[in-house]
Structures are given as structure tokens and as C-alpha cells.
């Protein structure tokens, strides 16, 4: 899996040409700046390759999900969950096989398209157990969707993407199913840990569930630099469900791991949905750069950067550039630090992932 910096132009499906910015060379930070669109560099690396991000453990979740929690934070959490509750559904995929299996998770209403309602969830819904690269054939998977009014309807798999672990399920258009708007958060949103709530709907109990925690200023140790971590202690049914903050902002989509609770930031989720609406598939990133935000790097790595050049307030350390993307990233090397892209200050890898242009 990999991760969108959204602008009004993105939301309209338009492409905006990149503006030219400048680059400050590693060995000399003088006034002589060479154009290199569309990047602005802090400094350029030495020839040493950069290691993969180290694993980061999430902090313990000290908050109790007590329905009688009448503290200010407890009331805000419940109100935030109730604000989106009609858009939260439970999904169950029953697989004919030997042996048969059923997987339940959570989804969110994200669009009404013609006579259909689209539900965004995790590709885990139809992924074969024990593998990251195989899914069950749609012909043997029966998908049922439990709505907030306890009505159960049949669903149809429209799209799945294993790289980002997202899927879209379609149901016949339903009344009283409001759409959740996926809006980008401020670029610096994740620099400060904040209280959040993970949301799920349980099929067997037909009930809404919530788990409170905080975002962490770190990334997941899974193979996706864009995944971030929360301290919400969740179970399987929360997979594919929303993570929201106490101001009712959508923060991301929840996944699950053995020791942590990773989530896909809303910028990436929105980018995936935008791609699917535009292309009926999720296209590979035009830039394809993989990297880590400076604010999540270990101290030793930051010290090494500071010895080469003054540490910037924010930026992305480039870890990898896929061969297929090199033509679009001319002049960018592994180990470079990217401060800006078309004048936008970079704080997270997700800002780079779905940048304005898509390959067709």
C-alpha cells in the first residue's frame, strides 16, 4: 500500500500545471539556485541510501469507552460519532468454499451515483485469509450491508485496491443515507497528537461501536509509509471504519495490526475515491515517491541531516523512487529532503502521493 494533497482543482477533477521552484544544493547554500520543477529542496543527500522506517509502538489507550462518560471529552466523542452515525454501515462477506467463511467489517457512505449508493470500506472484506495479494472471486462472495435503520440489503463489489487496502461496495439507492464528505485536513494537522474516535457498526448486535484514543506522531511499521497510528484499541469489525476527531473532522480509515492501530489518512482515502470516480480504477501515483515526514524520524537520522544542512521545519525525506516514476521525478534522488511542492509546504508523504497529475 502506499498515499493526496487536495485542492479545489482536485475536487473538480482538473489538473493544475506545476509551478517552478528552486533547489538549494547540498554542498553549497549560496544564491545560485537552479530551477527544478516542481520541487523545492532543503538539501540533497550524500550517496548513502536511506534505511526503511523503524517500527513505532503505539501508546496505550487509557480512555474507557464508557457510555456514561459525561466528561467534556467523553461528550464530544459521543457527539462526533452520532454526527456521522447514519452514514456508518456494517458489511459482511460470506464466501462459499471449503470451509465457508464470513468476514465482517465497517463501511461509510461516500457517494450517491445515479441509482446507487457507494460505500467505502477496506479490501480486507474480500481478501483471502493469510495473504496480502489474493482476493476471493466476486462470484463466490455474497456481500450484505446492515444500515443504521437495521435494514439489511445486498451489496455489489465495484472496486478493490490491495495497494491502499480500500474497496467500494455499491447498494441500491437508499433514502436517509447521508454522504460523508472526505475533506483534506490542514497540512500540519498530524504534527500534534489529538484525541480521536474509531467507529464501527457490529452486524451481529446491529449496534454502533466506538473506541477512543489519540493520534500518534509516528508511522506504521507496515509496508506503507503513508499509514499513521492511533492508540484506539480496536477489533476486527472496526476495519474499514472511520477515525474522527472530537471536532467531527474525518481523520482517516482504520485498519488493524497485531500491536498497533494503523489508519490511512483522509487525504489518501479521498485521493483513492477521486481516482475511482474519474478513472473507474485507482491509478498508480504520477510521482510515485516514497518517503517519511521529518517529524517522525528517529533522532539519529535527524542529527545526520542537521550535519549536512540546517534542519527545515518540515519536509519529506525521500526513501525510494520506483523506476517507473523516475521520468516524472527528474532531479530528485533518494535521500533528498523535499520542503515544498508547487509552493505547498510538505508535512506528510500523503501530500505527494496524489499530486494533481495522474497517468492516463
Amino acid at each position: 500500500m502506499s498515499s493526496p494533497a487536495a485542492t479545489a482543482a482536485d475536487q473538480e477533477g482538473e489538473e493544475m500545471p506545476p509551478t517552478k521552484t528552486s533547489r538549494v544544493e547540498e554542498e553549497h547554500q549560496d544564491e545560485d539556485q537552479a530551477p527544478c520543477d516542481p520541487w523545492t529542496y532543503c538539501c540533497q543527500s550524500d550517496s548513502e541510501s536511506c534505511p526503511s522506517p523503524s517500527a513505532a509502538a503505539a501508546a496505550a489507550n487509557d480512555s474507557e469507552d464508557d457510555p456514561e462518560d459525561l466528561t467534556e471529552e467523553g461528550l464530544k466523542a459521543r457527539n462526533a460519532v452520532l454526527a456521522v452515525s447514519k452514514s456508518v454501515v456494517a458489511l459482511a462477506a460470506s464466501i462459499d468454499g471449503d470451509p465457508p467463511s464470513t468476514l465482517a467489517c465497517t463501511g461509510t457512505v461516500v457517494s450517491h451515483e445515479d441509482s446507487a449508493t457507494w460505500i467505502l470500506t477496506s479490501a480486507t472484506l474480500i481478501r483471502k485469509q493469510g495473504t496480502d495479494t489474493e482476493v476471493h472471486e466476486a462470484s463466490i462472495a455474497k456481500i450484505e450491508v446492515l444500515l443504521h435503520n437495521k435494514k439489511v440489503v445486498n451489496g455489489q463489489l465495484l472496486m478493490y485496491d490491495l495497494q491502499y487496502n480500500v474497496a467500494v461496495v455499491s447498494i441500491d439507492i437508499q433514502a436517509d443515507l447521508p454522504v460523508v464528505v472526505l475533506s483534506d485536513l490542514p497540512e500540519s494537522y498530524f504534527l500534534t497528537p489529538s484525541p480521536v474516535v474509531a467507529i464501527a457498526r457490529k452486524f451481529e448486535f446491529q449496534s454502533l461501536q466506538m473506541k477512543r484514543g489519540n493520534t500518534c506522531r509516528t508511522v506504521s511499521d507496515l509496508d506503507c509509509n503513508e499509514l499513521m497510528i492511533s492508540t484506539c484499541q480496536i477489533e476486527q469489525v472496526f476495519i474499514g471504519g472511520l477515525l474522527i476527531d472530537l471536532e467531527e473532522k474525518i481523520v482517516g480509515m482504520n485498519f488493524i495490526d497485531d500491536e498497533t492501530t494503523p489508519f490511512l489518512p483522509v487525504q489518501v482515502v479521498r485521493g483513492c475515491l477521486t481516482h475511482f470516480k474519474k478513472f473507474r480504477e485507482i491509478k498508480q501515483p504520477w510521482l510515485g515517491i516514497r518517503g517519511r515526514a521529518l517529524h517522525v524520524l528517529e533522532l539519529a537520522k535527524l542529527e545526520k541531516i542537521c550535519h549536512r544542512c540546517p534542519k527545515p521545519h518540515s519536509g519529506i525525506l525521500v526513501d525510494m523512487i520506483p523506476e517507473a516514476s523516475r521520468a516524472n521525478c527528474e532531479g530528485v534522488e533518494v535521500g533528498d529532503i523535499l520542503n515544498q511542492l508547487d509552493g505547498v509546504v510538505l508535512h506528510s508523504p500523503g501530500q505527494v502521493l496524489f499530486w494533481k497529475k495522474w497517468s492516463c
Side-chain angles (χ1 to χ4, degrees):
M1 216 169 28
S2 305
S3 288
T7 63
D10 285 317
Q11 296 167 357
E12 295 298 326
E14 298 177 4
E15 295 183 4
M16 296 178 61
T19 58
K20 290 193 179 284
T21 52
S22 60
R23 172 179 182 175
V24 180
E25 300 295 333
E26 172 193 1
E27 299 296 334
H28 52 281
Q29 298 176 356
D30 52 26
E31 298 299 320
D32 184 20
Q33 296 179 331
C36 180
D37 53 32
W39 309 98
T40 295
Y41 287 70
C42 156
C43 61
Q44 189 173 7
S45 69
D46 51 24
S47 58
E48 181 180 330
S49 61
C50 300
S52 301
S54 59
N61 179 13
D62 295 325
S63 63
E64 294 293 334
D65 303 303
D66 183 356
E68 303 304 321
D69 181 2
L70 300 181
T71 64
E72 181 180 3
E73 186 169 299
L75 291 173
K76 281 187 173 182
R78 287 198 297 172
N79 289 338
V81 171
L82 292 173
V84 297
S85 62
K86 285 188 175 182
S87 305
V88 178
V89 304
L91 299 105
S94 302
I95 310 299
D96 292 332
D98 187 19
S101 62
T102 300
L103 188 139
C105 63
T106 297
T108 306
V109 177
V110 291
S111 186
H112 296 304
E113 302 288 329
D114 299 325
S115 61
T117 293
W118 287 6
I119 296 166
L120 188 68
T121 187
S122 168
T124 303
L125 181 69
I126 43 88
R127 192 193 302 269
K128 289 184 178 180
Q129 188 173 5
T131 176
D132 292 331
T133 58
E134 297 181 38
V135 298
H136 294 285
E137 295 181 12
S139 60
I140 65 170
K142 178 184 178 182
I143 299 176
E144 294 182 302
V145 182
L146 171 69
L147 309 180
H148 68 87
N149 57 10
K150 304 189 186 311
K151 182 178 180 180
V152 177
V153 297
N154 291 327
Q156 176 187 0
L157 181 67
L158 286 186
M159 175 277 291
Y160 69 87
D161 186 274
L162 297 181
Q163 181 175 358
Y164 301 101
N165 195 23
V166 298
V168 173
V169 172
S170 174
I171 62 175
D172 291 339
I173 194 76
Q174 301 288 324
D176 200 25
L177 281 184
V179 168
V180 165
V181 178
L182 302 175
S183 300
D184 282 0
L185 297 168
E187 290 86 355
S188 58
Y189 181 87
F190 292 112
L191 295 181
T192 305
S194 59
V196 288
V197 188
I199 307 174
R201 191 175 293 281
K202 279 195 173 182
F203 219 111
E204 60 269 40
F205 300 124
Q206 300 185 334
S207 59
L208 200 63
Q209 306 286 310
M210 59 178 275
K211 291 287 184 179
R212 289 165 52 193
N214 293 278
T215 56
C216 296
R217 197 168 160 175
T218 185
V219 294
S220 170
D221 59 354
L222 296 176
D223 185 25
C224 177
N225 290 343
E226 292 77 29
L227 282 179
M228 300 194 70
I229 296 293
S230 83
T231 63
C232 301
Q233 302 298 298
I234 65 173
E235 53 188 302
Q236 180 177 290
V237 294
F238 283 80
I239 295 174
L242 293 178
L243 186 71
I244 63 176
D245 68 12
L246 304 192
E247 304 303 322
E248 303 178 11
K249 297 185 182 74
I250 309 299
V251 176
M253 176 192 290
N254 293 305
F255 300 138
I256 199 167
D257 193 22
D258 292 337
E259 298 181 358
T260 63
T261 302
F263 66 91
L264 191 63
V266 66
Q267 292 97 321
V268 186
V269 178
R270 195 192 70 81
C272 290
L273 184 62
T274 300
H275 267 210
F276 181 59
K277 284 185 175 182
K278 184 178 180 67
F279 303 113
R280 285 302 185 263
E281 65 177 319
I282 298 178
K283 289 184 171 288
Q284 296 305 305
W286 181 70
L287 296 174
I289 286 176
R290 303 289 298 276
R292 290 172 288 164
L294 293 185
H295 69 267
V296 302
L297 294 180
E298 58 273 18
L299 183 61
K301 173 58 68 176
L302 287 174
E303 182 185 24
K304 186 175 181 180
I305 291 172
C306 289
H307 287 171
R308 296 203 322 261
C309 58
K311 177 186 173 294
H313 294 295
S314 64
I316 306 299
L317 175 66
V318 178
D319 285 330
M320 184 182 74
I321 305 173
E323 192 63 36
S325 299
R326 288 193 175 275
N328 296 326
C329 304
E330 185 177 356
V332 182
E333 301 292 340
V334 169
D336 286 357
I337 298 172
L338 309 179
N339 288 119
Q340 298 183 23
L341 182 54
D342 285 356
V344 176
V345 177
L346 297 177
H347 295 277
S348 73
Q351 293 175 268
V352 176
L353 194 63
F354 287 101
W355 190 260
K356 295 189 184 76
K357 290 193 177 183
W358 298 293
S359 56
C360 296

